[in-house]
Amino acid sequence: MSQDREPLYIKIQNHFKELITSRKLVEDDKIPTEKDLMEEFDVSRITVVNALAELAKDGWIYRIPGRGSFVKGIPETQMAPSLLNEPRGGQTRPRVKIGLVFPVLGDYFAIRLIAGITDGLKAKGYQLVVMLTNNSKETEKEVIREMKNNVDGLIIFPVDAEVYNEEIIALKMQNYPFVLIDRHLPGVETNVVSSDGAHASMLAVDHLWNLGHRNIAICSDSALMTVSVDERIQGYNEALKQKGALINPSLILNDIHANGILDDPASPPLPATDPNHPLYRFVKNQMATAYIALNCSLGVQILSIAKKVGLRVPEDISIISFDNPTPLLEEFSLLTYIDQSEYEIGTEAVRLLLQVIDNQGKLPIRFHKMILKPSLVVRKTTAEANVQAKA
């Protein structure tokens, strides 16, 4: 792989590794602040954060919240033979390193997905470098540019935007080994592993319809109409069409956000359980008898709103959540949910990426789109429709 340009975050890491190895910095010495490092290396905060996070992960430094970063010492592994793979053809080579570009660690879907990736790589003895983009396309571009020359391949959970990230398109044009997860680029052929979002919504609608529900709302709190959200809404619409039902746009709740001061976009967001929040009013007024929440945290919020306004679940309203919210709190362990096989998405992404790496330089180039089938796990938040509930 080309090393013509040393990524900025690697430059920062190597700077401190050299200082620690040469004993110019010793155990418990304090590392300069993030602000100081930004000025010293003329880089963004995300670059500094990721450099320090990697140093801490590898055992060079330790971090104390509110106090800063400190020298831990020279990791034993830096002198251990285990850092190298078994000899190949009489030579040793560095362990394969895989980069993961991920938006945010905001829910258990993300945690289980990354667990699948981590376990898949661990089984092969490979290293993983994780960098977060905070749902910023510009940060995603920077992260990909900095990582691609320092890892053997990338797994990317892309930021969804109206305009594709040209860095991802460039990876494809350069035949760089990468796999997209959860989201794909419509009209662009790439390696991708995801769950079948349209089929998932159809499973949810079918289950609720068979229970007698006719006013079924589908809810997303995503600030963007992402590919995955769009596919799930398409599945919802298709399921209703197959039943001869009319599509009611008022039951499709997109981007359900509200600010503390509703006419001030800069004001902090209201929690969904606030009486002024549009989702709160929607649930309170029983505009639907059943809800399909497109992520587990939103399903938990709807359950909390129902409890606050005195609606019984599932006697008055039914709720289906995407993803299993069980680890959140014991009281939410009874939610009916769509299992997207996120752990399997992670392990399959690793398997596919390693296959792509092994096939580098071989023609013809083939792209693989793996779509895993979701399943419905029925628990205690869905029941027959209450015919006396407000339509």
Side-chain angles (χ1 to χ4, degrees):
M1 295 173 56
S2 172
Q3 298 293 333
D4 293 339
R5 175 183 178 273
E6 186 178 57
L8 296 176
Y9 80 103
I10 295 295
K11 180 178 180 181
I12 298 173
Q13 289 180 43
N14 289 340
H15 170 75
F16 285 106
K17 288 178 182 179
E18 182 179 345
L19 291 178
I20 295 170
T21 303
S22 65
R23 306 302 290 171
K24 293 177 181 178
L25 286 176
V26 297
E27 287 77 1
D28 300 321
D29 280 354
K30 188 171 183 179
I31 301 296
T33 66
E34 292 178 2
K35 182 179 179 182
D36 290 340
L37 293 176
M38 289 167 60
E39 294 176 355
E40 179 180 351
F41 290 93
D42 191 24
V43 296
S44 66
R45 182 177 181 274
I46 189 69
T47 299
V48 171
V49 168
N50 281 304
L52 295 179
E54 188 71 11
L55 286 169
K57 176 177 174 292
D58 290 343
W60 293 89
I61 66 173
Y62 63 94
R63 310 182 77 177
I64 301 177
R67 292 186 56 194
S69 300
F70 301 83
V71 174
K72 187 173 183 179
I74 303 174
E76 292 182 7
T77 54
Q78 296 303 304
M79 299 170 284
S82 61
L83 275 185
L84 300 176
N85 284 339
E86 292 298 320
R88 173 182 283 187
Q91 296 181 345
T92 59
R93 64 183 179 88
R95 178 184 293 179
V96 173
K97 185 178 288 187
I98 300 300
L100 173 61
V101 181
F102 210 83
V104 289
L105 299 177
D107 53 32
Y108 280 91
F109 173 86
I111 292 172
R112 283 188 286 258
L113 196 158
I114 292 177
I117 293 172
T118 302
D119 289 349
L121 289 174
K122 184 178 180 182
K124 299 291 185 179
Y126 298 157
Q127 293 179 317
L128 179 66
V129 179
V130 181
M131 294 186 75
L132 303 180
T133 63
N134 295 314
N135 278 318
S136 164
K137 193 175 76 168
E138 292 306 314
T139 302
E140 183 180 78
K141 291 180 184 178
E142 180 183 348
V143 164
I144 291 173
R145 281 195 296 265
E146 291 190 7
M147 291 187 78
K148 66 182 181 181
N149 290 329
N150 194 56
V151 296
D152 297 271
L154 289 169
I155 298 174
I156 304 172
F157 191 127
V159 172
D160 218 312
E162 293 181 2
V163 180
Y164 296 152
N165 185 338
E166 54 265 32
E167 289 296 329
I168 296 178
I169 303 298
L171 293 178
K172 173 182 166 67
M173 300 301 294
Q174 297 161 6
N175 295 326
Y176 185 92
F178 75 99
V179 173
L180 302 182
I181 52 176
D182 189 70
R183 300 168 181 171
H184 63 276
L185 306 181
V188 179
E189 193 177 18
T190 62
N191 294 301
V192 60
V193 182
S194 66
S195 182
D196 191 334
H199 182 65
S201 291
M202 295 179 76
L203 289 175
V205 171
D206 287 346
H207 176 64
L208 294 169
W209 190 273
N210 291 337
L211 291 172
H213 294 277
R214 297 298 179 263
N215 290 333
I216 303 170
I218 186 165
C219 312
S220 167
D221 57 0
S222 173
L224 299 171
M225 178 60 91
T226 64
V227 169
S228 53
V229 169
D230 185 56
E231 289 178 344
R232 293 170 191 179
I233 292 177
Q234 288 180 24
Y236 165 88
N237 289 337
E238 180 60 29
L240 292 176
K241 288 178 183 178
Q242 290 180 6
K243 301 177 190 313
L246 295 176
I247 307 300
N248 183 351
S250 68
L251 295 178
I252 302 175
L253 308 179
N254 291 330
D255 190 16
I256 43 179
H257 294 281
N259 296 321
I261 303 174
L262 295 180
D263 59 354
D264 179 8
S267 64
L270 288 172
T273 51
D274 188 291
N276 291 315
H277 196 285
L279 181 59
Y280 181 98
R281 296 195 298 267
F282 194 95
V283 174
K284 180 181 179 181
N285 292 329
Q286 294 180 262
M287 303 301 291
T289 64
Y291 294 81
I292 302 171
L294 295 190
N295 60 65
C296 62
S297 61
L298 186 54
V300 168
Q301 290 180 62
I302 294 172
L303 189 61
S304 299
I305 293 170
K307 184 177 180 180
K308 191 170 182 179
V309 300
L311 292 176
R312 299 169 300 163
V313 178
E315 291 85 356
D316 296 322
I317 63 170
S318 288
I319 303 171
I320 295 179
S321 162
F322 268 68
D323 312 321
N324 182 6
T326 298
L328 293 171
L329 284 173
E330 182 67 25
E331 64 180 295
F332 300 131
S333 64
L334 300 181
L335 267 168
T336 296
Y337 70 94
I338 296 290
D339 184 349
Q340 296 191 86
S341 302
E342 51 267 34
Y343 182 88
E344 288 74 16
I345 291 176
T347 56
E348 285 300 315
V350 168
R351 187 188 66 79
L352 179 55
L353 179 60
L354 297 183
Q355 177 183 322
V356 173
I357 292 172
D358 287 341
N359 290 335
Q360 266 188 290
K362 299 178 182 178
L363 295 174
I365 297 172
R366 293 186 176 90
F367 297 100
H368 302 274
K369 187 175 183 180
M370 299 184 60
I371 308 299
L372 305 185
K373 288 295 182 183
S375 60
L376 177 69
V377 180
V378 179
R379 289 182 172 172
K380 300 294 185 180
T381 57
T382 52
E384 291 187 3
N386 183 349
V387 295
Q388 295 180 345
K390 183 178 178 180

